[in-house]
Amino acid sequence: MTLSSYRGYLYALIAFGTWGFLPVYWKQLHDLPMLEILAHRMVWSALTMIIALAVLKDLSWLPALRRSPRTLLLVSTAALLTAANWITYLWAVDTGHVARISLGYFINPLLSVLLARLFLGERLRRVQQVAVAIAFAGVIYLTISLGQLPWIALSLAGTFSFYGLIRKKVDISGMQFFCLEMILLLVPALLLLFYTAQPAPAPWAAVASPRIGLLLLATGIVSAIPLVSFGAAARLIPLSTIGLMQYLAPSTQFILGVFLYKEPFTSVQLIGYAFIWTALILYSLEGLRHTRTASDH
């Protein structure tokens, strides 16, 4: 294994490990209003990315965007999806549904395959079709057995999958894309931040607690690190490997939710999750087999 491969695995581990343990970070801010946390995350993410790209001298692409309304429209849509994903995620962590977050990210790759078929014309191989059908059956089982749609999982999987679909249609780097998203959300985030500060005389709870202030300040870095690491890993190791390693994040979230935070996990939920896990195993094994077959030719 080459040095670049080792670096790729390390970057992937950092990315998916960070995403997996993020619920622990957000739990430290549980005393703050969820909308205030969301606003801080957007503001500090924007500033973090602007500073990072300025240091890398990679801001020359911004003025050219004025001549590309299509790109601005697509990235604006992606930014709204990111905001919806983040607010659902933060709400789920705050209300003790970390295990349900994991279900969303277990479903995500299968939903992405389905969207690629519907919107990009990519053909699903037979085993992929079976995997998607099994996952769909799992969602139906959970809906009927629990008496409600698993909306947290579906919201997270849906927003992230459609985000990925848009990402494929915009030809700028991952850092540039994320930076532009946060710039577009900056004004709404600042308005939201001042709104959540009312009627407090001092702006934001961060003033009263240096620890909370530092945690809020670091939300931009915490949001950027896994994204940048993921982009680096994608350039150094095969996509099939990335696809398998991505399950580290929801697996970690599931373990945190059930074993650390003692969230209820019934036999009904176990059966529903088993459908999803079976679908993922089929999907992953078929992907590995297809990659090896293609490399042999």
Side-chain angles (χ1 to χ4, degrees):
M1 187 181 295
T2 64
L3 179 60
S4 61
S5 295
Y6 278 115
R7 288 171 53 209
Y9 284 110
L10 177 60
Y11 286 135
L13 189 61
I14 291 172
F16 297 120
T18 302
W19 277 324
F21 281 102
L22 268 183
V24 178
Y25 189 92
W26 302 122
K27 284 281 188 181
Q28 307 308 306
L29 295 166
H30 70 278
D31 290 334
L32 296 184
M34 181 188 60
L35 290 178
E36 184 176 339
I37 299 172
L38 176 68
H40 272 285
R41 187 178 186 184
M42 291 174 179
V43 170
W44 296 117
S45 292
L47 294 178
T48 298
M49 295 310 300
I50 291 171
I51 292 171
L53 290 177
V55 170
L56 295 172
K57 298 180 179 178
D58 188 22
L59 291 173
S60 60
W61 52 277
L62 276 172
L65 289 173
R66 290 178 298 181
R67 299 188 297 273
S68 182
R70 177 181 178 273
T71 297
L72 285 174
L73 178 61
L74 287 172
V75 179
S76 297
T77 304
L80 293 175
L81 290 171
T82 294
N85 183 278
W86 283 4
I87 195 169
T88 303
Y89 187 104
L90 291 171
W91 182 88
V93 171
D94 187 56
T95 54
H97 294 102
V98 175
R100 298 191 183 188
I101 290 174
S102 73
L103 180 60
Y105 291 109
F106 279 127
I107 293 174
N108 174 66
L110 298 168
L111 183 57
S112 294
V113 170
L114 182 60
L115 292 181
R117 173 68 182 91
L118 295 175
F119 293 99
L120 301 178
E122 296 181 11
R123 298 189 61 181
L124 298 184
R125 297 184 291 274
R126 185 175 299 276
V127 178
Q128 288 179 319
Q129 294 175 2
V130 173
V132 170
I134 292 174
F136 186 63
V139 171
I140 292 176
Y141 174 83
L142 287 172
T143 301
I144 295 174
S145 300
L146 299 176
Q148 60 180 2
L149 197 68
W151 69 268
I152 294 174
L154 292 178
S155 296
L156 292 171
T159 52
F160 200 74
S161 297
F162 276 103
Y163 177 92
L165 186 66
I166 291 173
R167 182 67 189 87
K168 291 179 71 71
K169 295 180 176 292
V170 180
D171 188 23
I172 57 177
S173 74
M175 289 183 68
Q176 293 170 346
F177 192 94
F178 184 58
C179 180
L180 182 55
E181 279 187 86
M182 294 302 105
I183 289 174
L184 291 169
L185 290 173
L186 186 55
V187 171
L190 288 171
L191 292 174
L192 181 60
L193 204 54
F194 281 104
Y195 169 78
T196 56
Q198 303 301 322
W204 321 307
V207 175
S209 171
R211 174 180 168 273
I212 294 297
L214 287 173
L215 286 172
L216 290 173
L217 183 64
T219 55
I221 298 173
V222 167
S223 300
I225 284 176
L227 179 73
V228 175
S229 299
F230 175 80
R235 293 193 299 269
L236 296 173
I237 57 178
L239 189 60
S240 58
T241 304
I242 291 284
L244 289 175
M245 291 187 72
Q246 73 176 313
Y247 301 132
L248 287 173
S251 298
T252 303
Q253 293 162 355
F254 176 78
I255 292 170
L256 288 174
V258 175
F259 296 103
L260 178 62
Y261 299 124
K262 307 299 182 182
E263 295 176 6
F265 190 71
T266 65
S267 58
V268 169
Q269 289 173 294
L270 178 60
I271 294 172
Y273 274 62
F275 275 98
I276 310 300
W277 290 332
T278 300
L280 286 174
I281 291 170
L282 284 175
Y283 170 77
S284 301
L285 291 177
E286 195 278 341
L288 284 174
R289 184 192 64 80
H290 180 76
T291 300
R292 288 173 181 170
T293 302
S295 63
D296 290 340
H297 290 81

